[in-house]
Amino acid sequence: MSETLKISVIGTGYLGATHAACMSKLGYTVVGIDSDSAKISALQKGQLPFYEPGLAELLVEQLATGRLTFTTSFDMAKDADIHFLCVGTPQKAGSNAADLTYVNGAFDQLLPHLKVGSLVAGKSTVPVGTADLLAAKLDAQAPHSDLAWNPEFLREGFAIEDTLEPNRLVVGVRKPESEKLLAELYAPLITAGVPWISSDLSTAELVKVAANSFLATKISFINAMAEICEAAGGDVTVLAKAIGYDPRIGSRFLQAGIGFGGGCLPKDIRAFMARAEEIGANQAVEFLREIDAINLRARTRMVDVVSSELSQGLKGARIAVLGAAFKPDSDDVRDSPALDIAASLLAKGASVVVHDPKAIDNARLRFPNLEFATDIKSALTEADITLHLTEWKVYRELDPVEIKKWVKSAKIIDGRNALDSDKYLLAGWRFRALGRNL
Ligand code: UGA
């Protein structure tokens, strides 16, 4: 009976905390383990250390069942049938490569606690070949266990949905019994029709980086078209809509603007390039260098447009920035295009005030010199120009007639191509957007 399965989740960050709560929701007994005692004591109390729609409520609900617990002790993993490795793989300082310190550290700490017949299932995004190295170590030190790779495709803002109703489940396995165990765990999802793809370890690792590379490529492609539209006098939003009707292209992830950020896409394409070089296949993913460059150029282009809109120049101009998170419905500011642009404008002498519905605390930690406003009106008051940099719903719903009364100069630049330009133009705003000639 699958509900008797016991699970450990190593690393209770974004991925791990979500996975732990969702596995408990499926009826399993779950222990979440993390070396960060502050994070663990918050989770034990039902407090989520980050913002994700619905997750705080799910955490509280699952803690109350008694099935979900959190601890700093690896010893508590000893009864688990499946151990999910969910620790981070950030970009190494001074290099494009992924830093595997946390993966290796967590794995080494877990090894002495593996019971007979248990399975370690990696979820972290790792360079291809990592699972083989871990498997070799496991075979030497804990041959009574096995290792599989089960990459995660969850998006921030949709973490619960993407875990409980993913568009596919991918498992890299070495032994049929390990695939059987994972299929038993995910039985409710498989029954609901989620496609199941099993492969070797390397393919499973690669699926994840290939998917993120493709998504990054789609975004940079449309941002490259935005540059062309600007130069040629076209409109990238119309172009995206038109090409998106072709089902081979698809309309999603063709939102031109200031580009991708966050803790995944930027570092994953860089780590992919670094790993490809190590395995002698660097030419195959050389195009990702251009994808990265187009993405970073979108931020510079935004700064240039702002500068061109201010006849008095950037120095001393009051700039209102709407959005600090790398995307809406998240408080994550890792590699956030919005914050990077705000910081560059500040460095160029502008007076920048940033608003975000959820990410102000994290943004302040990264850029303490920026000014932050907790309400939209204070951010916009006396602004010489307004920048829309993260497409939160609350910004899309602003009334251009009303907010025009707050600003000094009714100029807005939509860095996400998400605002209704007609409404702003009708209300008398000067409206600009990347990739459009308005
Ligand atoms: C991404 C992937 O979408 C997930 O499938 C993956 O599991 C995750 O990384 C991960 O590796 O953990 P996430 O980082 O949450 O998820 O964010 P996305 O929704 O992919 O957005 C990434 C960035 O692209 C954001 O900054 C967003 O604003 C930007 N974006 C997205 C665009 O600029 N244009 C678009 O059309 C779409």
Side-chain angles (χ1 to χ4, degrees), residues 166-215:
N167 42 33
R168 77 286 210 191
L169 283 160
V170 177
V171 292
V173 286
R174 303 191 298 167
K175 298 177 186 169
E177 53 270 34
S178 297
E179 180 173 353
K180 204 166 150 249
L181 188 58
L182 287 167
E184 184 185 337
L185 175 90
Y186 288 124
L189 280 57
I190 298 168
T191 310
V194 176
W196 176 262
I197 295 163
S198 98
S199 71
D200 54 83
L201 295 178
S202 297
T203 306
E205 292 170 310
L206 281 171
V207 168
K208 174 59 191 264
V209 283
N212 275 2
S213 297
F214 194 86
L215 294 172

Side-chain angles (χ1 to χ4, degrees), residues 11-22:
T12 58
Y14 212 93
L15 165 60
T18 306
H19 196 65
C22 288

